[in-house]
Amino acid sequence: MENRLKELRQSALKRVEAAASEEDLRAVTREFIGKQGAVSELLALIPNLPPAERGAMGKGANLLKRSIGDAISERKLALEALALDAQRAGGDFDPSLPGAPQMRGSLHPLTLVRREVEGIFSSMGYSILDGPEVELDYYNFQALNIPEHHPAREMQDTFYCDSGGKLVMRTQTSPVQIRAMESLSPPFRVIAPGRVFRNEEADATHEHTFHQVEGLVVGRDITVGHLTGVLKGFLRQLFQRDLDVRLRPGYFPFVEPGFELDIRCPFCEEGCRVCKKTCWVEFCGCGLVHPTVLEAGGIDPEAWTGFAFGFGLDRLVMLRHGIDDIRHFMGGDLRFLEQF
Ligand code: PHE
């Protein structure tokens, strides 16, 4: 039996040495250390040996198996190195050619513009807040002066998350207003960018998932002048020039008075596709914070006032880059994303 081990070792190592390809090595593996290989056959015989010899024999066979395996791995590496050398020596190898290009990712256009927006508001002293995307009905509606069964709920088709109707996918970033009031003491100014969700049929301008930026300032004697001043200042920095704005009355239960703020179309003087020939583009909802809402946030409406605004980030990015379909943003099409 011991001789058999020695024999096997010799012939296996000779075969490994002679192997000229991976295919050869696979054959050696199979024949010697595979499940049906010579070493396994040997191991299978051990139970027939006198008990005293079994231990030594088992050890010997296992050692042999390991050293054949090692020799095969070593030979494999050597063959690979040889192949590479041969390739390099060949006439068509040119070490001065550039390497294969690395694909680089890039930031999503929404991320790029969000960061720009955050930078501008930070420079004006605003903190940046975050809020949950799955929100309590209380924050998304009730505390914002939209009680249950209030018709204003119809303005926003809501995804409810539970049969009790206590949890919703937030339909707006406005709930962060209440969370901000609960956790900060006035005066303060914050923005809250984030994802919002509405149960809407998707088309070129609607998606079930989109993005808003909420703004909230609470201080003494806040007026509509402060509101328009801040928004104009923001737009000036974003578009690098002064853009006219106009206020139209707008209904949002959490502000009073409430407005829709339009901006003069950044692309034309006398009407174009973007502004639908009106020269004005809707930009955001805004207004002075309703006293009931301040109260819900734990702030005394006799002592403090505020303004709030909320605009669609997707729309802003579309305006900025001339994108005509909101569905590109979440579509995951690399041909779109690689342009940024
Ligand atoms: N949350 C409102 C909307 O989604 C926008 C808004 C924000 C209006 C803040 C007024 C004040 O339509």
Side-chain angles (χ1 to χ4, degrees):
M1 245 355 257
E2 236 167 85
N3 283 343
R4 177 78 184 123
L5 275 181
K6 220 178 263 167
E7 260 171 49
L8 270 181
R9 175 186 300 271
Q10 268 168 9
S11 58
L13 294 184
K14 213 184 267 165
R15 289 279 306 281
V16 172
E17 196 79 15
S21 66
E22 271 198 46
E23 181 48 41
D24 291 351
L25 284 176
R26 270 196 294 275
V28 183
T29 308
R30 226 172 16 246
E31 282 169 43
F32 287 89
I33 57 177
K35 268 202 192 105
Q36 327 248 353
V39 179
S40 302
E41 268 170 31
L42 211 63
L43 282 166
L45 296 177
I46 289 179
N48 306 330
L49 294 176
E53 290 173 28
R54 286 181 199 164
M57 204 53 211
K59 220 186 237 165
N62 278 316
L63 268 177
L64 175 61
K65 197 169 177 177
R66 185 152 356 120
S67 56
I68 296 175
D70 289 348
I72 289 173
S73 312
E74 220 170 278
R75 182 66 187 154
K76 193 168 164 206
L77 286 179
L79 284 177
E80 278 166 8
L82 280 174
L84 204 60
D85 283 346
Q87 217 176 48
R88 288 201 184 116
D92 52 2
F93 180 74
D94 179 354
S96 69
L97 282 178
Q102 290 282 317
M103 290 289 283
R104 290 191 76 186
S106 57
L107 291 175
H108 194 282
L110 282 165
T111 305
L112 290 169
V113 178
R114 173 175 55 74
R115 288 189 179 178
E116 215 175 310
V117 169
E118 289 173 355
I120 295 171
F121 277 105
S122 299
S123 77
M124 298 197 284
Y126 284 66
S127 311
I128 297 156
L129 297 187
D130 207 0
E133 292 176 349
V134 176
E135 185 53 285
L136 287 167
D137 179 274
Y138 172 77
Y139 287 105
N140 196 78
F141 293 122
Q142 291 170 51
L144 290 168
N145 205 20
I146 312 174
E148 251 174 280
H149 308 303
H150 192 281
R153 293 207 178 197
E154 310 272 300
M155 291 159 66
Q156 304 177 352
D157 286 309
T158 310
F159 289 115
Y160 286 91
C161 300
D162 61 337
S163 50
K166 291 243 175 328
L167 276 180
V168 301
M169 303 295 286
R170 66 174 176 189
T171 58
Q172 48 187 352
T173 42
S174 303
V176 187
Q177 285 189 34
I178 306 295
R179 292 181 175 275
M181 292 184 216
E182 284 179 347
S183 63
L184 302 172
S185 44
F188 62 79
R189 40 188 121 166
V190 300
I191 60 163
R195 254 198 309 201
V196 299
F197 311 86
R198 290 188 198 173
N199 190 356
E200 288 186 349
E201 197 91 17
D203 62 24
T205 52
H206 296 88
E207 258 282 33
H208 50 70
T209 300
F210 55 105
H211 302 76
Q212 289 186 336
V213 178
E214 193 78 11
L216 173 67
V217 169
V218 176
R220 307 265 187 215
D221 304 318
I222 298 283
T223 69
V224 176
H226 295 121
L227 167 63
T228 46
V230 164
L231 287 173
K232 282 184 83 160
F234 162 68
L235 290 164
R236 183 186 309 122
Q237 292 219 47
L238 192 72
F239 288 95
Q240 293 294 303
R241 66 193 151 106
D242 272 310
L243 289 179
D244 273 342
V245 303
R246 72 174 183 192
L247 291 176
R248 287 178 291 116
Y251 174 61
F252 306 97
F254 36 95
V255 284
E256 181 60 40
F259 308 101
E260 308 245 10
L261 183 133
D262 298 340
I263 55 179
R264 187 88 204 182
C265 180
F267 300 110
C268 70
E269 300 268 299
E270 61 279 316
C272 68
R273 205 171 47 92
V274 173
C275 61
K276 302 202 187 85
K277 304 237 183 275
T278 63
C279 294
W280 294 95
V281 189
E282 278 180 32
F283 176 62
C284 72
C286 55
L288 298 186
V289 182
H290 197 292
T292 307
V293 173
L294 286 170
E295 227 163 359
I299 291 175
D300 178 5
E302 296 296 331
W304 298 99
T305 50
F307 70 73
F309 59 84
F311 61 84
L313 188 62
D314 311 71
R315 267 184 66 85
L316 193 62
V317 180
M318 289 166 80
L319 271 183
R320 211 43 209 297
H321 293 289
I323 297 164
D324 59 4
D325 195 323
I326 193 173
R327 288 168 294 192
H328 286 309
F329 288 138
M330 310 296 272
D333 188 334
L334 286 179
R335 290 168 305 179
F336 170 74
L337 295 172
E338 278 169 354
Q339 295 176 50
F340 298 91

